[in-house]
Amino acid sequence: MSAPGAAGALESYEVRLRVGEGDLDAQAHVNNVVYVRWVMDAATAHWEARTGADDRAAVAWVATRHEIDYLAPALLGDELVVRTRVGHAKGLTFERHTEVRRVADDRVLARSRTLWCPVDPGTGRPRRVPPHLRALFSMDGPA
């Protein structure tokens, strides 16, 4: 796959979903853990949409840190858009930003910053990524 360069890295990627009963907590709004799952799912979908089978066989990702600000509750039946974009990369740490918005009123419900580390899928050990992947998944472009 050819890399679009740093401009391609600035593009956001989005996933749409609807809140289901299994997403709710005892207060009848989306459980905080579900937001983490959506952040992870959006990042995975972005990775799968932008890479080929060879890249996915050579590199896996593990989250090393999540920071989430919960701004408003999502409720049963809400249609949501989970929008993610890459941030800066430093060494083996890749930053990603994600926002969860309610479609009906475009209200931001949550914002997150996640740090990811590329790993070898076979060993689970951290590994450097090729320049074309660094360009795709970092605002900083190839190193």
Side-chain angles (χ1 to χ4, degrees), residues 35-121:
Y35 285 95
V36 175
R37 185 182 76 222
W38 291 341
V39 165
M40 302 278 293
D41 289 350
T44 299
H46 185 210
W47 166 250
E48 290 174 353
R50 298 285 196 268
T51 58
D54 290 344
D55 289 330
R56 292 190 301 271
V59 179
W61 295 89
V62 295
T64 61
R65 181 178 181 87
H66 287 290
E67 301 169 10
I68 300 181
D69 294 317
Y70 301 99
L71 306 172
L75 306 172
L76 182 63
D78 281 349
E79 184 181 355
L80 307 176
V81 61
V82 181
R83 189 171 293 125
T84 188
R85 63 180 173 77
V86 299
H88 295 284
K90 191 176 201 180
L92 293 175
T93 301
F94 287 70
E95 179 184 52
R96 179 178 286 275
H97 301 275
T98 306
E99 209 174 62
V100 178
R101 288 181 177 265
R102 185 172 31 240
V103 171
D105 59 3
D106 201 35
R107 184 165 185 189
V108 177
L109 306 180
R111 282 193 182 102
S112 76
R113 176 179 175 260
T114 304
L115 300 181
W116 294 85
C117 179
V119 298
D120 179 294

